[in-house]
Amino acid sequence: MYTRGERMKRTNIYLNEKQHQKLHEQAEKEGVPVAELVRRAVDAFLMWYDPTYHPTPPTPQTRKSHSSPA
């Protein structure tokens, strides 16, 4: 997970119903925001696509509440 001090860029994406539902279910299981799961997926893709890419090391943190309405 990324630290609060790290500079982020807001990005909007469109998901189909199944993607949206599954991401929210997994986020709830792990106690992390959906955005964190998306960042992890992007990092995994970039590492696969570009072996020289190295993501920012994660900082353990759990979600205290929902980050957005369902």
Side-chain angles (χ1 to χ4, degrees), residues 13-30 32 34 37-38 63 66 69-70:
I13 61 170
Y14 290 92
L15 303 172
N16 65 38
E17 285 291 325
K18 189 173 187 178
Q19 292 168 327
H20 184 265
Q21 177 186 352
K22 293 295 184 180
L23 272 174
H24 280 272
E25 288 172 7
Q26 190 62 35
E28 194 66 34
K29 277 186 196 175
E30 292 188 33
V32 297
V34 169
L37 296 181
V38 172
R63 181 173 70 188
H66 292 294

Side-chain angles (χ1 to χ4, degrees), residues 1-56:
M1 187 173 318
Y2 295 80
T3 61
R4 288 183 183 255
E6 186 174 353
R7 191 169 195 117
M8 298 271 184
K9 295 273 190 177
R10 183 180 175 113
T11 302
N12 293 316
I13 61 170
Y14 290 92
L15 303 172
N16 65 38
E17 285 291 325
K18 189 173 187 178
Q19 292 168 327
H20 184 265
Q21 177 186 352
K22 293 295 184 180
L23 272 174
H24 280 272
E25 288 172 7
Q26 190 62 35
E28 194 66 34
K29 277 186 196 175
E30 292 188 33
V32 297
V34 169
E36 174 59 20
L37 296 181
V38 172
R39 287 188 291 267
R40 290 177 190 174
V42 169
D43 279 341
F45 169 79
L46 291 173
M47 287 187 296
W48 172 78
Y49 187 73
D50 178 3
T52 65
Y53 175 79
H54 299 289
T56 304

